Amino acid sequence: MNNQSKWRFVGFKMFIIYFVSMTISIMVMGYLSYNKAKEIIQVNVGGVALQTVQQANKRLEMIMDEYESRSYFVFSYRELQKGILGEFRDNYERMQNTEQISKFLSSFANSKNDTANVFIFGEYASSYNYSLTSSPTFSVRSPIDKMKQEQDWYKEIKDADGRMVWFGIRPSFIQENQSSEEDKPVFCYGRALKDIWGNGEIIGVLLIEIDPSEIQQILSEIDFKALGTSIIVDRDNNVVGDSDGRSLMRPFALELAAEIESSGITNKVLDGKEMVVVYDQMDKNDWKLVGMAPAGQLVKDSREIRLYTFYLAIGFTVVAVILAWTIARQMHHPVQILLRSMRKAKEGDFEIQITNHRKDEFGILFDSFNIMVSRIKSLINELYIQRLLKKENQLKMLASQINAHFIYNTLDSIHWISRIHKVHDISTMIFGLSNYLRISLSDGRDKVTVREAVSLVESYLSVQKVRYQDKFEVNLEVDSELLDYPVLKFIFQPLVENAIYHGIENKKGTGRLDIRWIQKNGLLFFEVIDDGVGITPKKLKQIEEALESNDFTQEDHFALKNINSQIKLAYGEQYGLDLESGLTGGTKVTLMLPLS
């Protein structure tokens, strides 16, 4: 088998498709390999970043340990507690105490040049403040008022019962008497002061404000080499420290892991960008030092791998496009030819033939399609057109038979009545007959309006009332909305005729005939109800079987079969006649038509 013959078979073409699929698989594998390499690089870089954060965290904890050690000096200074409680024998002793406290706080604040303010809020005799924000200032104040004692920060320090309370970098709690230059963020912490020389009760609160430059310097030195940022968040996920002060006192935009995880690395999306987030928890106060950097910047070293993978994928893609184009030409083109031809045949064009000659499986399909269309065209010519002509002739034959049947009966009635009565009622019957014939002819039309059909039935009844005298009463009801709908001419009068001849004529005494044209659920219902002798169940079953049969050679129930066939031929198989009859007599015939 040569290469040219191989191309004739779909199986060989499917082999090419599999080859393309394998090529795509290689591309997917390359993509996944690149992503895995990128992930490994990102994990390694993240590990280094976490170590950097942990080292910075240790430096911050050392600084905070030193801050806590400073507070012990104030906590244990006896003269300060004496001044807060006001335990003086005279004014001279008070002045001596105030001078000693001033020297102590000056030494305390100047031991390192990072202290901004030292606030000692006494609850008994005095409060003290030493400030270094602009120029060294020592002041003695009255005991803390109730308003400050109700503030949250004051309550938090007192509730800690002497333990350290850390507030982080924030605006000063004490804004009074500060200039705009002094209104800068400070690192705040505090603890309650106790009467350690007495009963140990809380006598005041120590609040220290530190210049945050050293802490901010540590945060800015955390280098991710990727335009990253570092912040400190408290246990409520609020920012209590950053390198530039722009995020202070705001909720952190990302939710970190649970508190049981003291440190970790995670990927988060922040402002539409994927970020690598590393964090480490402080042992001292459950704060977390958090470092963030764009994930793309951290894995810049994977750029060479990405470029190599990209070029490799481009090369395979070009090959895949060429192969896909070839497959599309070999497979898609004949399928489209077949589909277009089938669409034309569906629309009724049975002259269509596929002239594209092939030697593969599509060639067999094309030949089979041409044969099939030719056979369908032949069947239509032989059967469908003949059947339509047969039905049309049948409709005309049925209508003419019904007309002749009534005319024969009417002429017979006129003959006998003219012989018996000689003068009366002849004019009435002749008028009714002429009106009936006029509507029946109706210029050769097959359909009339409901209004004309009602007039046709009324003309027929006028003749029959003369013939039967007082044998029956008629109640005729017409829905006025139906009067202008078109209907077949000869489907209503025969049902009235059957009701008279087979129901009321054989009844003893006077009968009643109810005739109705009504509409329900978008359909027209014509009902003929008589209180005559009725139909036995056996005969009713025979009539129903006759209505289902298409055999018109039998004369039994010929009129009903004609009417039922006319309806089904003209309107559809779902429409036609329905008969009901009770055991005690009476018959109801219902004719159902669409309103169209």
Side-chain angles (χ1 to χ4, degrees):
M1 185 181 295
N2 55 35
N3 292 333
Q4 186 176 0
S5 62
K6 288 182 180 179
W7 277 99
R8 296 177 181 177
F9 298 99
V10 176
F12 185 75
K13 298 167 186 175
M14 293 302 299
F15 169 76
I16 300 299
I17 294 176
Y18 292 145
F19 176 75
V20 174
S21 300
M22 292 181 63
T23 303
I24 295 175
S25 299
I26 294 174
M27 294 174 63
V28 173
M29 290 177 60
Y31 174 77
L32 295 177
S33 298
Y34 163 71
N35 279 351
K36 188 63 178 178
K38 178 181 176 182
E39 181 182 344
I40 293 173
I41 294 174
Q42 184 170 308
V43 170
N44 292 336
V45 173
V48 174
L50 179 59
Q51 292 179 359
T52 303
V53 169
Q54 289 173 337
Q55 292 175 358
N57 191 17
K58 290 180 181 179
R59 293 176 60 191
L60 290 174
E61 287 187 340
M62 291 176 59
I63 292 174
M64 295 174 71
D65 284 338
E66 195 271 332
Y67 289 163
E68 185 174 1
S69 299
R70 293 192 209 180
S71 67
Y72 283 119
F73 291 107
V74 181
F75 184 85
S76 59
Y77 187 51
R78 182 179 179 85
E79 291 298 322
L80 180 61
Q81 295 191 7
K82 184 177 179 181
I84 293 174
L85 295 173
E87 297 174 344
F88 307 114
R89 292 189 297 268
D90 50 33
N91 191 47
Y92 176 77
E93 188 175 351
R94 177 189 299 275
M95 293 176 61
Q96 288 292 111
N97 175 264
T98 300
E99 185 177 353
Q100 291 179 7
I101 292 174
S102 175
K103 292 179 180 180
F104 170 77
L105 292 180
S106 175
S107 176
F108 173 83
N110 287 285
S111 62
K112 279 199 171 183
N113 59 358
D114 57 357
T115 303
N117 290 289
V118 179
F119 297 99
I120 300 169
F121 299 100
E123 296 185 356
Y124 289 91
S126 300
S127 296
Y128 304 95
N129 169 235
Y130 194 89
S131 175
L132 284 174
T133 53
S134 56
S135 59
T137 303
F138 172 75
S139 60
V140 181
R141 303 185 181 186
S142 301
I144 187 169
D145 54 40
K146 293 293 184 182
M147 184 177 298
K148 279 192 176 63
Q149 293 186 40
E150 294 298 323
Q151 293 183 8
D152 292 339
W153 63 269
Y154 192 91
K155 290 181 179 180
E156 188 175 351
I157 293 175
K158 287 195 67 175
D159 292 342
D161 195 30
R163 296 185 301 274
M164 291 297 302
V165 178
W166 305 94
F167 296 103
I169 302 175
R170 51 158 299 124
S172 175
F173 287 118
I174 313 302
Q175 297 292 335
E176 57 193 38
N177 300 326
Q178 287 193 7
S179 65
S180 58
E181 295 181 357
E182 297 172 346
D183 189 14
K184 298 178 180 178
V186 290
F187 183 84
C188 301
Y189 67 97
R191 68 190 311 165
L193 298 175
K194 293 186 176 182
D195 183 9
I196 59 176
W197 309 103
N199 56 11
E201 66 174 339
I202 294 176
I203 60 175
V205 163
L206 168 65
L207 180 67
I208 300 176
E209 296 179 349
I210 303 294
D211 184 350
S213 299
E214 186 175 5
I215 295 176
Q216 290 177 329
Q217 180 65 26
I218 293 175
L219 294 176
S220 64
E221 289 175 355
I222 299 176
D223 184 14
F224 290 102
K225 297 181 179 179
L227 303 177
T229 57
S230 301
I231 59 173
I232 303 173
V233 296
D234 62 13
R235 67 186 66 185
D236 296 324
N237 214 45
N238 295 317
V239 178
V240 293
D242 64 1
S243 59
D244 53 15
R246 287 184 287 186
S247 303
L248 293 175
M249 309 307 296
R250 297 179 183 175
F252 185 37
L254 302 177
E255 288 291 336
L256 297 178
E259 292 185 0
I260 56 174
E261 297 184 18
S262 59
S263 63
I265 306 172
T266 183
N267 282 29
K268 299 284 186 179
V269 177
L270 181 63
D271 296 332
K273 295 181 179 180
E274 184 182 2
M275 306 288 288
V276 175
V277 180
V278 294
Y279 59 93
D280 189 47
Q281 184 170 299
M282 297 181 178
D283 296 332
K284 187 171 295 293
N285 49 18
D286 292 336
W287 288 356
K288 284 187 174 70
L289 176 58
V290 181
M292 299 177 294
Q297 294 292 330
L298 288 177
V299 292
K300 289 189 295 185
D301 294 339
S302 66
R303 190 168 296 173
E304 292 183 6
I305 299 176
R306 181 179 63 186
L307 289 176
Y308 177 77
T309 306
F310 175 75
Y311 291 140
L312 186 64
I314 288 294
F316 277 111
T317 301
V318 170
V319 174
V321 167
I322 295 173
L323 290 175
W325 180 82
T326 303
I327 294 298
R329 189 168 182 82
Q330 292 293 323
M331 300 287 290
H332 185 68
H333 183 64
V335 171
Q336 286 296 104
I337 293 175
L338 185 59
L339 288 177
R340 284 196 297 267
S341 301
M342 293 180 69
R343 189 177 296 113
K344 290 182 178 180
K346 180 181 177 182
E347 293 171 354
D349 182 7
F350 295 106
E351 300 290 339
I352 184 68
Q353 291 286 300
I354 300 177
T355 58
N356 191 318
H357 300 289
R358 300 173 63 98
K359 295 182 180 181
D360 58 6
E361 290 89 338
F362 284 110
I364 298 174
L365 287 175
F366 291 168
D367 293 340
S368 299
F369 174 82
N370 292 338
I371 295 172
M372 178 187 68
V373 172
S374 298
R375 293 188 64 183
I376 290 175
K377 179 183 176 183
S378 176
L379 288 173
I380 289 175
N381 291 333
E382 293 177 5
L383 301 175
Y384 183 69
I385 296 177
Q386 294 180 11
R387 191 166 184 178
L388 287 178
L389 293 174
K390 181 180 178 180
K391 288 186 176 181
E392 183 178 351
N393 292 331
Q394 189 180 35
L395 277 173
K396 293 181 179 179
M397 179 189 70
L398 295 175
S400 64
Q401 289 175 344
I402 293 173
N403 288 340
H405 184 66
F406 173 67
I407 291 173
Y408 297 153
N409 288 336
T410 303
L411 292 176
D412 184 66
S413 299
I414 294 173
H415 170 71
W416 287 107
I417 291 175
S418 63
R419 289 185 61 183
I420 295 172
H421 297 282
K422 296 182 180 179
V423 178
H424 301 294
D425 300 329
I426 293 178
S427 63
T428 301
M429 295 186 71
I430 292 177
F431 175 78
L433 178 59
S434 64
N435 191 47
Y436 178 85
L437 291 174
R438 178 181 58 81
I439 299 174
S440 297
L441 294 174
S442 61
D443 299 326
R445 290 182 286 122
D446 293 330
K447 291 187 177 182
V448 295
T449 63
V450 173
R451 187 190 312 276
E452 292 173 314
V454 173
S455 179
L456 188 68
V457 172
E458 288 177 335
S459 299
Y460 171 78
L461 289 172
S462 68
V463 174
Q464 297 294 7
K465 283 183 180 180
V466 174
R467 177 184 179 188
Y468 287 98
Q469 295 298 324
D470 297 327
K471 180 63 178 177
F472 60 88
E473 296 178 358
V474 178
N475 177 36
L476 194 144
E477 177 184 342
V478 184
D479 189 335
S480 60
E481 296 182 1
L482 298 174
L483 292 176
D484 295 322
Y485 279 98
V487 291
L488 291 175
K489 280 190 294 190
F490 300 112
I491 60 175
F492 303 104
Q493 174 268 330
L495 300 181
V496 178
E497 181 178 351
N498 272 1
I500 295 174
Y501 287 155
H502 300 294
I504 296 177
E505 186 178 75
N506 297 324
K507 177 184 178 181
K508 294 180 180 181
T510 304
R512 177 182 174 86
L513 192 61
D514 292 322
I515 304 171
R516 302 173 186 155
W517 279 269
I518 59 177
Q519 63 171 325
K520 296 178 184 176
N521 301 323
L523 299 173
L524 185 152
F525 290 89
F526 174 68
E527 298 177 350
V528 179
I529 306 171
D530 68 75
D531 59 354
V533 295
I535 308 173
T536 63
K538 182 178 179 180
K539 189 173 182 179
L540 182 62
K541 185 176 180 181
Q542 291 176 352
I543 295 173
E544 291 174 347
E545 291 176 353
L547 293 179
E548 293 295 328
S549 173
N550 291 325
D551 185 7
F552 289 89
T553 61
Q554 302 294 328
E555 295 184 0
D556 295 338
H557 318 296
F558 185 77
L560 291 177
K561 285 199 295 184
N562 282 347
I563 295 170
N564 195 53
S565 296
Q566 287 189 66
I567 295 171
K568 292 186 179 298
L569 287 172
Y571 298 108
E573 290 294 327
Q574 66 269 42
Y575 304 104
L577 294 177
D578 181 66
L579 280 73
E580 302 176 25
S581 184
L583 296 175
T584 58
T587 302
K588 178 181 179 181
V589 180
T590 303
L591 185 153
M592 183 176 71
L593 302 176
L595 287 176
S596 60

